Amino acid sequence: MNPLRNDCFALPPGVDWTPVDEALERLRSRLHPVVGVDRAVPLSQVNGRILASDVHAPRAHPPSNNSAVDGYAFAGPLTEVPCALPLVDGRSAAGEPYMGHVPGGHAIRILTGAVIPAGTDTVVLEEDCEVTEGKLHLNGTLKAGANTRKAGEDIKVQDRILAAGTRLSPTQISVLASVGVGSVDVYQRLRVGVLSTGDEVKPVGSAVTDWQIYDANRPMLSALVAQLGYQLVDLGHALDRAEDVKAALERGAEQCDLILTSGGVSAGDEDHVSKTLKAHGDISNWRIAIKPGRPLALAMFQGTPVVGLPGNPVAAWVCALRFGAPAMALLAGGEWFEPQGYAVPANFTKNKKPGRSEMLRARVRNGQVEVFGSEGSGRVTGLAWSEGLVELDEGAGQIEPGTPVRFIPYGSFGL
């Protein structure tokens, strides 16, 4: 493993507000994989894991010329019709190839997926011909090679079939199995710690008073980490006391490759996450021009990167997706990604002010995108209501129904 530098998140002198695109590029350029490698892991155990090395095909796919249809095989092309070809005894079926040689001017029964017998190279569909008295009667011309699949037309021997950094899915596992790859090298799962802070925050199931709230962020972020395929380390909840926050971060530094915190990263009297990181680590408060989403703290604590998310659930969610998800992918050995967005007509009105990007909770209905009625970053109902985010750039703009806007479904973040 190659650890990150303690000052990897430091901002250049004079930088104040940072546009989203610039912040993302700065973050990407300072991260690299921090996990080890598990060697020769069986395919049954690699779904969701990230490839640690390129995979080359030890075998072609398909391995032999074979038939794409049920029919009859013969040597093509067929240009002189009508004609009748004598049938040889036997057939070629998938898993039971015809081992003999078909003489010129003869044909043989063949089934879909069967190896093309020696002496033949063309197949006619059974519905395009007629068999009577041991002869195949043909009325239409055919090019040589018709209705066949060539050996290696999909994958050739030694083709690179998957690249290092690929997150394996069921379909990619199928490709590996198709050429006989039974095990691969994958990165160890990124261990992500999730920590909530605040005297007003109580775990679900605890007794609460009117001035306390249940912890929505830790279950939300924990579920996000698990769904993205990483190993969750629950660091619990820390009160607004420096010693509690420091102890929690120390546990995280021992057990985790990355720590996500929520709350306590501003410059207030009780913002002990930022104070602890400043006193015992290296912290940069990135003032990113995004709404919701400030502040975002990036730090190193005892050799472990820390992403300090805002305390409001909506802001924590937006920052975790927009900045945390691609950062986790890169730390885990995968590829940094820009989520795929789509231009969709708006079904809302908004006078967008200049200065900050805005991320609006949104969903698509009847080909148009609608946004949640309130932009308040504490309105958790909008998280459950939404299916993605509308991203508006830093410029000013007047959005009316029908205006194309960028909609990013949550699936584009890997969910």
Side-chain angles (χ1 to χ4, degrees), residues 16-18 20 262-267 271 285-297 308-320 322-323 354-359 377:
D16 190 12
W17 283 100
T18 305
V20 171
S262 62
V265 292
S266 292
D271 288 319
N285 285 298
W286 288 23
R287 300 181 68 199
I288 299 172
I290 188 173
K291 176 185 177 183
R294 61 179 181 178
L296 179 69
L309 301 168
N312 283 320
V314 176
W317 177 248
V318 167
C319 284
R322 201 66 181 92
F323 301 98
R356 287 196 286 173
S357 294
E358 295 192 22
M359 308 293 287
S377 58

Side-chain angles (χ1 to χ4, degrees), residues 34 79 103 253 348 382:
V34 296
T79 57
F348 62 94

Side-chain angles (χ1 to χ4, degrees), residues 313-392:
V314 176
W317 177 248
V318 167
C319 284
L321 290 183
R322 201 66 181 92
F323 301 98
M328 286 188 279
L330 195 53
L331 291 169
E335 297 180 353
W336 178 276
F337 66 88
E338 174 65 20
Q340 177 65 55
Y342 303 90
V344 182
N347 189 21
F348 62 94
T349 299
K350 180 177 175 61
N351 181 20
K352 166 69 172 62
K353 296 179 181 180
R356 287 196 286 173
S357 294
E358 295 192 22
M359 308 293 287
L360 310 177
R361 287 152 287 172
R363 65 186 186 186
V364 173
R365 292 292 183 272
N366 300 317
Q368 295 182 306
V369 62
E370 56 189 28
V371 297
F372 190 62
S374 170
E375 296 181 14
S377 58
R379 298 288 292 271
V380 294
T381 50
L383 294 175
W385 174 92
S386 62
E387 297 169 354
L389 300 168
V390 162
E391 184 175 51
L392 306 177

Side-chain angles (χ1 to χ4, degrees), residues 176-201:
L176 293 170
S178 72
V179 292
V181 175
S183 63
V184 290
D185 297 342
V186 293
Y187 284 107
Q188 294 169 358
R189 290 189 187 274
L190 187 74
R191 301 168 300 168
V192 182
V194 176
L195 171 67
S196 285
T197 65
D199 287 345
E200 79 283 11
V201 176

Side-chain angles (χ1 to χ4, degrees), residues 29-52:
S29 67
R30 299 177 185 201
L31 299 177
H32 57 70
V34 296
V35 291
V37 175
D38 289 331
R39 302 290 181 186
V41 179
L43 294 192
S44 60
Q45 301 173 24
V46 299
N47 188 40
R49 303 288 294 273
I50 297 173
L51 272 179

Side-chain angles (χ1 to χ4, degrees), residues 1-19:
M1 293 189 295
N2 184 13
L4 300 177
R5 289 171 37 189
N6 279 340
D7 63 349
C8 69
F9 296 128
L11 291 175
V15 170
D16 190 12
W17 283 100
T18 305

